Amino acid sequence: MNHTPSSLRAALNKPLLSFWQIVNMNVGFFGIQFSFGLQQSSMSPIYKYLGADEASLPYLWLAGPMTGLIVQPIIGAMSDRTVSRWGRRTPYFLIGALLCSLGLLFMPFSQTLWMAAGLLWILDAANNVTMEPYRAFVSDKLDSRQHSLGFLTQSAFTGLGQTLAYLTPSLLVLLGMNKDAVNSHHIPHIVIAAFLIGAIFSAVSILWTLKTTKEIPLTAEQLTTIRNKPAGWQATLDEIVVAVREMPLTMKQLAVVKLFQWYGMFCYWQYIMLSLGRTIFSTNDPASPGFREAGLLNGQLGAFYNLIAFIAAFALVPLTRRIGPKITHALCLTCAGIAMLSIPSIHTPGLLFIPMIGIGLAWASIMGNPYVMLAGCIPAERTGVYMGIFNMFIVIPMIIQIFTLPLYYNRLLAGNPENVVRLAGGLLICAALAVTLVRSAASARAQELAATT
C-alpha cells in the first residue's frame, strides 16, 4: 500500500492561516474542555456525595478510558473514510458535542451512584466521538509549519475551558448563590448550575467553529481513493490493525511517555480534592462544610493552573520552535512532578497556588507538544486513524491505573489520598525522563530505513 510520506506534507501547499483563523478553528475545543474540566473537578465529589468508597473511586472513572479505547480509533478511521456534504470530520464532532450537552444536563441530577457512573459513560462516549476527528480536522487544515501554533492554540483553549469549568462554582458563590445549599443527595446547587452552564458552552462553541471554519474540500483524487477503499466495519477494523502494525517509531516511543504521564494525571485528578480535604480542612466527611470548602478550593486551584496553561500555551510556541517539542515537554513535566510532590506538605491555602504554576505549564505542554511530535511522523491520509490510536496511549494508562491503584491503595499508600498525589508527581518525573529518549520524526525515519536495508 502506497502512502504519502509525512516528510512531503509541506509539499501539499496548504495555505498559511492567520492567527485569528486558527483561533476560530479551535473555539470548539473550549466547550469540549469545559466538559472535561467539570468531570475532573466534580466527579469524585459527586461520587462521594452518592456514597462511594475512597479506595473504589478509580473503578467509577472507568467510563472515560474505556470509551476512549473503543470509540476513538474507530471514529478516527471512519472519519478518514467519510465523504459527506459537510466534510469528513464535521459530522462527528457536531454529533458528539450535542450528545455531550445532553450528558451534562442530566449528570448533576443523578439519584444513585450507578446512575452517575452510567451518565459518565454516555458523556465520555460523546466527548470521544468529538475529540479525535477534531484533532484531525486541525491537522488537515494546517501546513506543517503551523502545527505547533495550531496544537498549542488548541492547548490554550483547553486551559481556558477548564479554567472556567473549575472556577464556575466559586464565581456562582460570588454572584450570590449559597455554597451550602444542596439537594437531597448532598450535591451542591452550585455544582448543578455549573453542569447546566457547561451544556450550553459545549453546543455553542462547536457551532461557532462550524460557522467560521470549513473543511478543505477533498480533491478528485482523494475522493476516488476513499471511495475505492473497502467499506464496512471489517474494513475499518482492518485499517486500524494495519495502522498499528505500521506505526512510526516516534509514535511507539511516545507511548512510553504517555504511560507514565497519564497514569500520574489520573491519580492527581481523582485524589487531589480528597487530599486537600485532609491537609487543609482536616476532614474526609462528604457531608461536612469542610469537604465542600475543599471542593471550592480545588476548583480555584484547578482554575488557576488551567489559566497558567492558557497563557503558557502561547508562550510555549516560540520556545518549542527554538528548542523543540521534546525538550520543552520534558522541562514542563519535571516542573509538574516537583509541584505535585510538594502539595501534601503545604497546609496554607494561599501557598498552594505556587505549585499550580508547574502543573499549568505541564498541562499546556501535555495538550500540545505530543501532538506536534505526532503530526510530523504520520502519513496525511491516515491522520484520523493515527490520532485515534494515539488516544489509546492516553486511555490504556488510565485503565491500568483504575485496576491497579485499588489493589495497593491501602497497603502501599496507607489509604491516604496525599500519597496518591505524591505518586502522581513521581510518575510525571518518570515521563519527563522517558520523553528525552524519543527520536524526532526525521531520525526515526532514518533508523527505520536503515533497519529495512
Side-chain angles (χ1 to χ4, degrees):
M1 183 180 295
N2 294 322
H3 300 299
T4 304
S6 57
S7 60
L8 298 180
R9 296 186 69 164
L12 296 177
N13 294 320
K14 296 177 186 176
L16 295 180
L17 303 184
S18 71
F19 172 75
W20 291 111
Q21 287 175 310
I22 293 174
V23 167
N24 282 329
M25 181 195 314
N26 282 295
V27 165
F29 222 67
F30 169 82
I32 298 170
Q33 295 303 324
F34 194 101
S35 170
F36 277 122
L38 288 174
Q39 292 177 50
Q40 291 165 16
S41 64
S42 299
M43 285 314 302
S44 282
I46 286 175
Y47 286 148
K48 284 285 287 182
Y49 293 136
L50 295 172
D53 173 66
E54 278 187 12
S56 301
L57 277 178
Y59 295 133
L60 296 170
W61 283 70
L62 184 61
M66 281 302 296
T67 53
L69 181 66
I70 297 169
V71 171
Q72 290 208 26
I74 293 175
I75 293 297
M78 289 175 62
S79 73
D80 283 340
R81 296 164 170 264
T82 295
V83 177
S84 77
R85 58 179 294 187
W86 300 284
R88 286 194 292 175
R89 321 295 185 186
T90 300
Y92 296 96
F93 57 75
L94 175 60
I95 293 170
L98 294 177
L99 289 175
C100 176
S101 292
L102 293 175
L104 290 170
L105 280 173
F106 288 108
M107 176 63 76
F109 300 104
S110 298
Q111 302 293 308
T112 65
L113 188 60
W114 293 109
M115 179 179 176
L119 283 170
L120 185 61
W121 279 84
I122 296 171
L123 181 58
D124 270 311
N127 276 328
N128 282 305
V129 167
T130 306
M131 184 66 70
E132 294 319 308
Y134 204 119
R135 290 197 184 278
F137 168 68
V138 172
S139 184
D140 292 341
K141 289 283 291 185
L142 296 179
D143 183 88
S144 60
R145 290 167 290 176
Q146 291 189 305
H147 279 162
S148 60
L149 178 59
F151 285 113
L152 286 168
T153 300
Q154 202 170 81
S155 176
F157 275 106
T158 296
L160 180 61
Q162 295 196 10
T163 294
L164 291 178
Y166 274 93
L167 199 56
T168 295
S170 293
L171 292 176
L172 292 172
V173 172
L174 289 176
L175 292 173
M177 286 190 69
N178 183 356
K179 65 183 178 182
D180 292 318
V182 299
N183 67 10
S184 59
H185 299 281
H186 306 292
I187 299 175
H189 290 172
I190 54 175
V191 172
I192 295 173
F195 273 81
L196 299 182
I197 292 169
I200 296 171
F201 282 165
S202 178
V204 170
S205 63
I206 285 290
L207 292 174
W208 177 268
T209 290
L210 294 180
K211 178 178 175 59
T212 60
T213 310
K214 304 298 181 185
E215 292 192 49
I216 297 175
L218 296 172
T219 65
E221 182 180 357
Q222 288 173 317
L223 287 170
T224 299
T225 300
I226 292 172
R227 287 169 175 157
N228 286 339
K229 288 182 176 180
W233 284 99
Q234 184 62 48
T236 300
L237 294 176
D238 288 344
E239 175 68 14
I240 295 171
V241 171
V242 171
V244 170
R245 189 166 58 242
E246 299 177 359
M247 187 184 304
L249 177 62
T250 299
M251 192 171 172
K252 295 176 183 177
Q253 293 171 330
L254 283 170
V256 179
V257 177
K258 300 187 87 165
L259 173 63
F260 294 114
Q261 175 180 288
W262 287 103
Y263 195 115
M265 290 304 301
F266 224 39
C267 286
Y268 177 81
W269 289 329
Q270 288 171 0
Y271 285 90
I272 181 59
M273 189 266 196
L274 305 181
S275 175
L276 294 174
R278 296 194 181 201
T279 59
I280 305 298
F281 300 99
S282 301
T283 183
N284 62 351
D285 179 5
S288 67
F291 194 85
R292 291 192 291 274
E293 289 286 353
L296 287 173
L297 177 60
N298 181 45
Q300 293 159 11
L301 295 173
F304 183 72
Y305 86 65
N306 277 287
L307 178 62
I308 294 296
F310 172 68
I311 298 169
F314 293 112
L316 289 177
V317 173
L319 182 63
T320 297
R321 287 174 174 168
R322 183 176 180 83
I323 67 174
K326 181 172 76 171
I327 301 302
T328 302
H329 195 45
L331 291 173
C332 291
L333 289 174
T334 301
C335 289
I338 295 170
M340 290 180 184
L341 288 169
S342 72
I343 287 173
S345 301
I346 298 173
H347 300 281
T348 303
L351 294 179
L352 286 166
F353 288 91
I354 297 174
M356 292 302 119
I357 296 172
I359 296 174
L361 289 172
W363 190 229
S365 187
I366 284 170
M367 297 304 292
N369 278 315
Y371 295 94
V372 176
M373 289 183 269
L374 175 69
C377 75
I378 56 177
E381 72 278 7
R382 282 184 174 172
T383 300
V385 66
Y386 273 126
M387 287 291 182
I389 292 170
F390 200 54
N391 186 68
M392 293 170 66
F393 302 155
I394 299 174
V395 299
I396 290 174
M398 291 179 176
I399 292 171
I400 294 172
Q401 188 264 4
I402 284 169
F403 286 107
T404 57
L405 185 63
L407 300 179
Y408 62 83
Y409 177 73
N410 289 313
R411 188 174 71 255
L412 298 181
L413 301 177
N416 189 340
E418 299 168 48
N419 291 330
V420 182
V421 175
R422 292 187 179 99
L423 172 64
L427 289 168
L428 288 191
I429 291 175
C430 290
L433 294 173
V435 80
T436 63
L437 303 177
V438 175
R439 294 181 178 272
S440 67
S443 62
R445 281 194 296 273
Q447 183 174 332
E448 288 174 337
L449 181 61
T452 58
T453 57

